[in-house]
Amino acid sequence: MASGDFEDDAEATVTMEEYIESMDAEELEADLVLGGDEGDECTYPKGYMKRQAIFSCITCTPEGNAGVCTACCLTCHDGHELLELWTKRNFRCDCGNSKFGTLACKLLPGKDVENPENSYNHNFKGLYCSCDKPYPDPNGEEHGEMIQCCICEDWFHEEHLSLKSSDGVSSQIPRDEEGVPVYEDFICQNCSPVCSFLTLYPEKLWIAAKVDSNGSANASSDTTELNQTPTASEPVQPENSTEAEKSVLRGCSEKLPDSEAFPAAGCAIATGLASCTEFEKKPLFVTKNWRSMLCKCEKCLEMYSERKVSYLLDAEDTIAEYENKAKEKRTEKLEKQEGEALDHFNNLDHVTKVELSHGIKDFKEGFRSLLESVGTSRAITSEDVEQMFSKLKNKRKRME
């Protein structure tokens, strides 16, 4: 038997530091996806939430026409076949309504028959992209990573984005010279007509993927402000975001925060909408802070409302803001846990405090002895840990 066979059969090992770091990373990732929601209460009373984690229960609604919140996923649909849909905007928990037949919500029965403002797509059936396939693909087809449209919130494979110009030349996602994407949001070709007004802005707001002489696509712009090569951490954009807003919205009569009022000469963006009527359906990529550059004049606000994209002006609609709030909730939760532990310790009587202190000391000494006995010759096993606790337990009995 080759020595490599022993290595293949050996149990994977990690250091204590690596284990703790991996646990913290997993907890943080879960908090970011769930938005810091502990899953204690159904979110239905909160109405159509700007953004929340949503799950589709294939067991209860195989047709994919309903979604449930985190709490209902854990309580009402435990053991069911569930699909994690990440987050959805303007969504209200469906659990227990008419779409679930006789199944009532255990947390909040008596909900409305349905939520008419909810929006559903094939994601609720576990299907994604224009190829209408599940992720991951059970047939084993590799399509690489997927990117999400910020309008319809569907996910797409890069190879299925229809990144072709009118003359049939293929292009790619705009990236810098190191291959790092230089856009903040992506809008799929089906949603791009709704957002055709974005192409009326200078290319300091949206990024075009253009094919160079070598046949590869790079981020490109015709504006003089964007001649510098983009970096991995900073998408294509002017250095001064306030000046960018001023130049993009020149002529808009609205007054933006921390900026001077623009001349009341009408809005060039709104008056140019007629040129978008025959807009070619094509994917769009928009740069960092693009939402803050959107015109907020009366005409444009009316246009956003008509096209049902007013949420683009709401900072709380973005994934970044959703995750920032999740991080804040996580920090508050950890601080609260530390405070509760300290309060609990301070409320103990003197004898219990002494016993607890001795117990912590014994554990530290026992763990140190375990590390010294094992050394670097081998990994610590579950048997080693069980033996350590057995010794601590016997020591405790001798002291009683």
Side-chain angles (χ1 to χ4, degrees):
M1 182 179 290
S3 60
D5 294 334
F6 289 106
E7 295 178 0
D8 293 338
D9 295 336
E11 184 179 355
T13 60
V14 295
T15 65
M16 184 65 69
E17 183 178 359
E18 290 174 338
Y19 176 74
I20 294 175
E21 288 180 352
S22 66
M23 291 294 292
D24 287 342
E26 289 178 3
E27 289 181 2
L28 176 58
E29 182 179 1
D31 283 340
L32 293 182
V33 172
L34 300 178
D37 186 357
E38 296 291 329
D40 300 327
E41 300 177 348
C42 176
T43 60
Y44 181 84
K46 298 180 181 180
Y48 294 90
M49 296 181 63
K50 292 183 178 181
R51 187 166 293 282
Q52 66 170 314
I54 292 296
F55 301 81
S56 176
C57 183
I58 299 301
T59 303
C60 296
T61 55
E63 60 276 17
N65 63 341
V68 302
C69 68
T70 302
C72 289
C73 168
L74 298 173
T75 303
C76 308
H77 302 271
D78 183 30
H80 293 188
E81 182 181 354
L82 293 159
L83 298 175
E84 180 184 312
L85 304 180
W86 198 21
T87 70
K88 294 294 180 183
R89 71 163 59 90
N90 193 39
F91 202 93
R92 196 176 196 183
C93 180
D94 284 319
C95 181
N97 66 17
S98 61
K99 297 180 179 181
F100 290 82
T102 58
L103 178 67
C105 178
K106 297 177 182 178
L107 298 175
L108 197 66
K111 297 178 180 177
D112 291 344
V113 175
E114 63 178 68
N115 297 311
E117 294 185 31
N118 280 357
S119 178
Y120 312 93
N121 59 14
H122 63 168
N123 295 170
F124 287 77
K125 296 181 181 180
L127 304 175
Y128 304 87
C129 188
S130 57
C131 65
D132 206 37
K133 291 185 177 180
Y135 180 84
D137 192 337
N139 295 325
E141 295 186 31
E142 293 292 337
H143 295 289
E145 295 184 1
M146 305 182 77
I147 62 175
Q148 187 183 39
C149 172
C150 66
I151 304 300
C152 67
E153 301 187 298
D154 194 5
W155 294 82
F156 296 84
H157 303 108
E158 179 177 356
E159 62 191 86
H160 299 151
L161 294 182
S162 300
L163 292 176
K164 287 187 177 182
S165 60
S166 57
D167 57 3
V169 179
S170 298
S171 58
Q172 302 171 0
I173 291 176
R175 293 183 170 89
D176 62 16
E177 294 180 352
E178 298 181 356
V180 179
V182 294
Y183 64 93
E184 179 175 284
D185 281 319
F186 156 73
I187 300 173
C188 72
Q189 66 169 354
N190 289 330
C191 295
S192 61
V194 177
C195 297
S196 57
F197 59 88
L198 293 176
T199 59
L200 298 175
Y201 287 83
E203 285 193 28
K204 56 172 60 69
L205 185 142
W206 60 282
I207 308 170
K210 296 184 179 180
V211 181
D212 60 22
S213 58
N214 297 323
S216 61
N218 294 314
S220 176
S221 174
D222 295 331
T223 55
T224 56
E225 294 94 339
L226 303 179
N227 289 333
Q228 297 181 346
T229 302
T231 64
S233 59
E234 194 69 19
V236 179
Q237 61 174 329
E239 294 183 1
N240 190 316
S241 61
T242 301
E243 288 303 316
E245 292 176 10
K246 288 182 179 180
S247 60
V248 169
L249 301 176
R250 189 68 60 187
C252 177
S253 60
E254 284 295 300
K255 182 177 181 181
L256 296 178
D258 302 322
S259 66
E260 298 178 359
F262 297 107
C267 175
I269 306 301
T271 56
L273 289 176
S275 63
C276 296
T277 54
E278 298 181 359
F279 177 79
E280 177 187 359
K281 293 175 64 175
K282 59 182 179 180
L284 297 175
F285 298 90
V286 281
T287 192
K288 185 177 180 181
N289 298 325
W290 67 281
R291 296 192 187 208
S292 65
M293 300 180 195
L294 294 178
C295 178
K296 300 175 181 63
C297 74
E298 184 176 349
K299 289 184 178 180
C300 281
L301 291 177
E302 182 180 351
M303 179 266 293
Y304 302 143
S305 178
E306 291 175 351
R307 299 190 178 205
K308 302 185 187 310
V309 292
S310 296
Y311 54 79
L312 294 178
L313 300 178
D314 188 349
E316 293 185 18
D317 175 74
T318 65
I319 297 296
E321 182 63 20
Y322 177 82
E323 293 185 342
N324 285 336
K325 287 190 174 182
K327 291 178 181 178
E328 292 176 0
K329 291 180 180 179
R330 176 178 171 80
T331 300
E332 293 174 358
K333 179 179 68 176
L334 295 176
E335 291 176 349
K336 181 180 178 181
Q337 290 175 346
E338 292 177 0
E340 290 176 346
L342 182 59
D343 290 341
H344 179 68
F345 180 80
N346 291 333
N347 290 330
L348 297 175
D349 59 73
H350 178 71
V351 175
T352 305
K353 287 181 180 179
V354 172
E355 291 179 346
L356 181 60
S357 299
H358 281 304
I360 294 174
K361 179 182 178 183
D362 291 341
F363 175 81
K364 291 171 64 177
E365 292 177 351
F367 191 64
R368 185 183 299 109
S369 298
L370 172 60
L371 295 177
E372 292 175 352
S373 63
V374 173
T376 58
S377 59
R378 65 179 180 85
I380 297 176
T381 65
S382 57
E383 289 78 10
D384 294 327
V385 177
E386 290 176 0
Q387 187 177 14
M388 181 194 73
F389 279 107
S390 178
K391 290 180 179 179
L392 291 174
K393 185 176 181 181
N394 292 333
K395 181 179 180 180
R396 178 74 176 178
K397 288 182 178 179
R398 291 195 300 270
M399 294 176 62
E400 292 178 351

